[in-house]
């Protein structure tokens, strides 16, 4: 199902955001990648915060995308003294993302908003990526909890996953293949 000439230009959804406290943001990013790949679009998929080998989606994304996949995070930010290592990791993902953007039709950056909320990425850095995506008309997909108001205003499509029920509230721990 190749993309028809003009389809991308017609699309108004340049910047998509998946946010909210409910489960499904990263799964939505992976689903978006699958759909775009099914249209023969060139896709790059990066993950802030998540380390390589931390989640099930990473193995297949690496197979499908090769160097257009990068899980470059340093894991959960648990202690303040870990912040410089997280910042260095985020800067590596950011540099990779900037280089990918002109090369692909869709750039997906999972857990961007986690990094932003934690102060590992700045508003200026995220806005600069958004400006670049608009300038070169590439789809940019950003995900993570706590989308700030400015991002909701500036994005074209925002979906907020709401948590109606989640087993972790009754003490069930995260399961491989479901949560990671
Ligand atoms: P998914 O990766 O399943 O699409 P998500 O990206 O929306 O979910 P995140 O906030 O990135 O969700 O959290 C990663 C995963 O950890 C999710 O599957 C979420 O349901 C799960 N999770 C969040 N909080 C807890 C918790 N306290 N205990 C167990 N699992 C949790
Ligand atoms: Mg996630």
């Amino acid at each position: 199902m190749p993309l028809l000439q003009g389809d991308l230009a017609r699309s108004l959804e340049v910047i998509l955001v998946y946010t909210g406290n409910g489960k499904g943001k990263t799964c939505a990013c992976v689903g978006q990648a699958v759909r775009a790949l099914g249209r023969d679009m060139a896709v790059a998929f990066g993950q802030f915060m998540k380390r390589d080998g931390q989640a099930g989606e990473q193995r297949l994304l690496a197979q499908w995308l090769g160097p257009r996949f990068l899980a470059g995070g340093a894991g959960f930010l648990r202690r303040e003294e870990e912040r410089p290592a997280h910042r260095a990791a985020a800067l590596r993902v950011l540099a990779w993302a900037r280089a990918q953007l002109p090369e692909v039709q869709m750039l997906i950056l999972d857990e961007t908003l986690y990094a932003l909320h934690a102060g590992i990425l700045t508003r200026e850095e995220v806005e600069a990526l958004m400006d670049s995506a608009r300038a070169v008309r590439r789809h940019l997909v950003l995900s993570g909890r706590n989308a700030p108001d400015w991002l909701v205003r500036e994005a074209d499509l925002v979906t907020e996953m709401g948590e109606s029920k989640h087993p972790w509230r009754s003490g069930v721990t995260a399961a491989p293949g479901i949560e990671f």
Side-chain angles (χ1 to χ4, degrees):
M1 254 190 289
L3 192 72
L4 299 174
Q5 271 299 345
D7 278 0
L8 189 65
R10 259 205 322 271
S11 171
L12 295 174
E13 292 148 344
V14 175
I15 296 172
L16 296 82
V17 172
Y18 295 122
T19 191
N21 289 332
K23 172 176 157 50
K25 300 171 288 294
T26 296
C27 288
C29 288
V30 176
Q32 198 69 73
V34 169
R35 178 170 289 166
L37 288 168
R39 290 285 182 183
D40 293 330
M41 289 167 72
V43 174
F45 195 118
Q47 292 183 312
F48 289 102
M49 309 308 286
K50 280 185 185 167
R51 297 175 198 280
D52 201 19
Q54 198 180 327
E57 70 272 11
Q58 295 170 335
R59 191 161 64 93
L60 283 177
L61 288 170
Q63 270 176 29
W64 289 337
L65 303 179
R68 287 192 176 142
F69 173 71
L70 178 64
F76 295 105
L77 176 64
R78 292 198 171 92
R79 298 197 318 271
E80 269 311 299
E81 54 266 38
E82 297 167 351
R83 184 173 289 275
H86 282 267
R87 175 68 180 155
L91 288 176
R92 283 194 294 274
V93 177
L94 194 60
W96 170 89
R98 286 180 182 134
Q100 291 298 317
L101 192 56
E103 305 293 321
V104 297
Q105 287 159 294
M106 178 181 290
L107 172 63
I108 301 169
L109 294 173
D110 186 30
E111 311 303 348
T112 303
L113 310 186
Y114 177 8
L116 182 66
H117 188 69
I120 300 296
L121 281 178
T122 67
R123 171 176 176 169
E124 290 68 31
E125 286 161 347
V126 175
E127 280 186 314
L129 263 182
M130 293 164 72
D131 289 347
S132 303
R134 287 199 195 284
V136 292
R137 287 204 64 82
R138 301 308 199 257
H139 297 295
L140 178 65
V141 182
L142 304 174
S143 76
R145 291 168 190 229
N146 302 300
D149 291 344
W150 62 263
L151 180 62
V152 173
R153 272 196 310 277
E154 292 174 25
D156 302 296
L157 182 157
V158 181
T159 295
E160 178 149 359
M161 272 77 182
E163 185 190 308
S164 301
K165 188 173 185 179
H166 197 303
W168 75 263
R169 290 200 180 273
S170 42
V172 178
T173 51
I178 304 291
E179 267 103 8
F180 65 93

